Amino acid sequence: HGSFKGIFDGGNHTISNLNVPAAWRSGFFAYAGGVKVNNLTIENATVSGAQAGVLAGAGEGLSTDNVKIAGDNFVTYTPYSSAEYTETYGGIGVFTGMFASSTVNGEILPSATVTLNYNDIVTNASYLNKLIGYTAGNYSNNGTITNSGSVESVGEINSQGVRKVRQQTGST
């Protein structure tokens, strides 16, 4: 759990029962900047953070191919504040919590469920998307996410800057 740069090839393996406690950025990778992730399945993940997703809390310049979500997954928004920084652009999503200039090609498998708990999020984010979270800069995914599973949302979104909440549950 932390920042990662480079290429991560999962070799078509599955990471099961990932449990990441509340943090600023939370996911298999906390921060994936300039990262290429291939051939990986994550199942039964539980992550929580101000920017949280099953794959990455934040993805900037992230590129994925053949990344899959399986099993029962839970992503929960948890506010973050420290002496040095308070996150005001929070977001949660299936793959990433914060998304910028990235290309995510992946799939939520037919038997998968993902519960997004917005937990009364207060955010300055301009756009929120169920699949890729808070989108900064380039507001759309340059790849394709196929959602054959179930993505459910609970909790409220208290927007300070949200212009549009994209409640997409199909492909992006």
Side-chain angles (χ1 to χ4, degrees):
H1 178 71
S3 298
F4 179 77
K5 267 194 151 170
I7 299 172
F8 183 91
D9 191 324
N12 293 313
H13 291 284
T14 298
I15 295 171
S16 300
N17 304 314
L18 176 69
N19 188 351
V20 183
W24 171 27
R25 292 176 168 160
S26 184
F28 179 66
F29 300 108
Y31 177 79
V35 174
K36 173 85 172 149
V37 181
N38 299 317
N39 308 314
L40 178 66
T41 299
I42 301 174
E43 69 177 358
N44 302 325
T46 301
V47 298
S48 178
Q51 295 178 344
V54 173
L55 180 62
E60 293 185 81
L62 169 66
S63 176
T64 72
D65 188 37
N66 194 33
V67 173
K68 299 174 184 174
I69 307 298
D72 296 320
N73 303 273
F74 300 90
V75 180
T76 301
Y77 170 77
T78 305
Y80 176 83
S81 184
S82 71
E84 297 83 29
Y85 183 74
T86 297
E87 180 58 67
T88 58
Y89 287 88
I92 62 172
V94 175
F95 284 85
T96 60
M98 190 283 287
F99 177 93
S101 302
S102 296
T103 301
V104 175
N105 290 297
E107 180 178 6
I108 302 168
L109 296 175
S111 61
T113 62
V114 182
T115 301
L116 301 174
N117 183 350
Y118 287 102
N119 200 20
D120 296 326
I121 185 174
V122 176
T123 183
N124 289 320
S126 299
Y127 293 89
L128 294 175
N129 178 304
K130 281 186 174 183
L131 302 178
I132 55 176
Y134 155 49
T135 53
N138 179 352
Y139 297 116
S140 62
N141 181 19
N142 295 317
T144 300
I145 297 172
T146 302
N147 180 6
S148 301
S150 172
V151 178
E152 302 169 3
S153 298
V154 297
E156 296 296 320
I157 299 171
N158 298 303
S159 60
Q160 294 180 356
V162 175
R163 291 184 295 233
K164 183 172 185 180
V165 177
R166 296 179 178 168
Q167 299 293 334
Q168 291 177 285
T169 55
S171 298
T172 62

